[in-house]
Amino acid sequence: MILVIISHTAHYKTPTDEIVGWGPTVTEINQLIQVFDKIYHCAFLHNEKPPESSLAYSSQHIQFVPLPPTGGKDLKGKLKVLARFPETLIKLRSVLQKSDIFQFRAPTGMGVYLIPYLSLFHRQKGWFKYAGNWKQKNPPLGYAVQRYMLRKQSRIVTVNGLWPGQPKNILAFDNPCLTAKDREKGKKAVSSKAIENVKKICFVGNLTKNKGFDLFMEALMELENIQFEVDVIGDGPMRKMYEKKLPGVIFHGFLPKEKVQEVYLQCHFIVLPSLSEGFPKVVAEGMNFGCIPIVSDVSGIDQYITDGENGFLIKPITKVRLVSIFKETIKLKNDDYKKMVNYNYNLASKFTFEAYINHIKQSIL
């Protein structure tokens, strides 16, 4: 069986002309080759230096098909989506003709025209993976349009979270990120982890307002007598400003998976005060390695994290609430920390690639 994946995942060429892509997505596709004979991944190719988090495909049966990058928050980026529509569609049609099944990853700018095209003119089997916040109250217009179209078509749409009253084709799928090796490594870490006098916190993601990075930094500056060791993995426009304001924070930039895991192993908490999310993979990764989540109460996150029991919900998403959570963590006893960590390690089994592949086999194939 041949699968075509269509996404906006960023890919790059290394100096040796090797194609690499955003690590979490490439890892997922490397696992999916267990199910399919061949996978074509149609996605964006950027003429930039690849970040450290990029990975290569692990199988010769996975073929990257470059698409011209489109999208962006400004008008120029949005017009590119329309200008490159003919070129994108011609490329995709030729690849789709070779396939038995497709997966389209939304929301993305080209989804505005590709969702109706796939729904109305492409007759082969397929499914849509909606990676954003399916229950977002005031999404951007393009996201709202795509969500509406996905509700109205008949193919399966996988989303993060389970809510009553959903159409039958909207299925809850846990966001995969953990290999069997990760689980073994996490098991050893959790068994030996203990909370020390100095609490260690990490942030993993783009350093942007949407990810709540500014909220995290501003909350840290409110703490006078409470000391945390803080690791920040990722990059973005806010980095330089907060490096100056908070010289004690360690800014790593983007890191490969093994280096990210080394940070998880040293930390007690992972914080992500996002304004909008599906279910962030970094939260499941952190739980697997003994990091208690401090995360915004958005989308279906409260279906996994119960405030004060196995993590802390930033509700409302304010600096005041985040500061109060940091003060709560100082009082956390080692026995309570261990209970949370062990519970979360077991919960993280939902986010294994093994569970994901079994779900695809049962519910889609």
Side-chain angles (χ1 to χ4, degrees), residues 1 3 53 75 82 98 104 127 197 228 230 252 262 326:
M1 185 179 288
L3 169 68
S53 55
L75 180 60
L82 297 176
K98 305 173 188 176
F104 183 85
W127 83 99
N197 291 329
F228 291 101
V230 182
H252 296 274
E262 287 178 15
F326 288 152

Side-chain angles (χ1 to χ4, degrees), residues 279-299:
F279 188 91
K281 291 185 178 186
V282 297
V283 173
E285 290 172 0
M287 291 194 299
N288 186 67
F289 292 101
C291 299
I292 294 172
I294 300 171
V295 63
S296 302
D297 183 15
V298 294
S299 188

Side-chain angles (χ1 to χ4, degrees), residues 4-7 42 67 92 96 103-105 110 114 118:
V4 171
I5 296 174
I6 306 165
S7 79
C42 306
L67 298 179
L92 289 177
L96 285 165
Q103 181 201 68
F104 183 85
R105 297 184 172 220
M110 59 183 175
L114 285 179
L118 292 167

Side-chain angles (χ1 to χ4, degrees), residues 296-316:
S296 302
D297 183 15
V298 294
S299 188
I301 286 175
D302 64 353
Q303 297 173 23
Y304 302 90
I305 308 300
T306 302
D307 187 49
E309 291 189 19
N310 68 320
F312 299 91
L313 292 176
I314 309 168
K315 184 180 181 180

Side-chain angles (χ1 to χ4, degrees), residues 51-79:
E52 287 291 323
S53 55
S54 301
L55 288 177
Y57 293 104
S58 63
S59 170
Q60 62 182 358
H61 300 293
I62 301 171
Q63 183 176 330
F64 172 66
V65 179
L67 298 179
T70 61
K73 294 182 179 179
D74 58 5
L75 180 60
K76 185 179 178 182
K78 295 182 189 305
L79 290 174

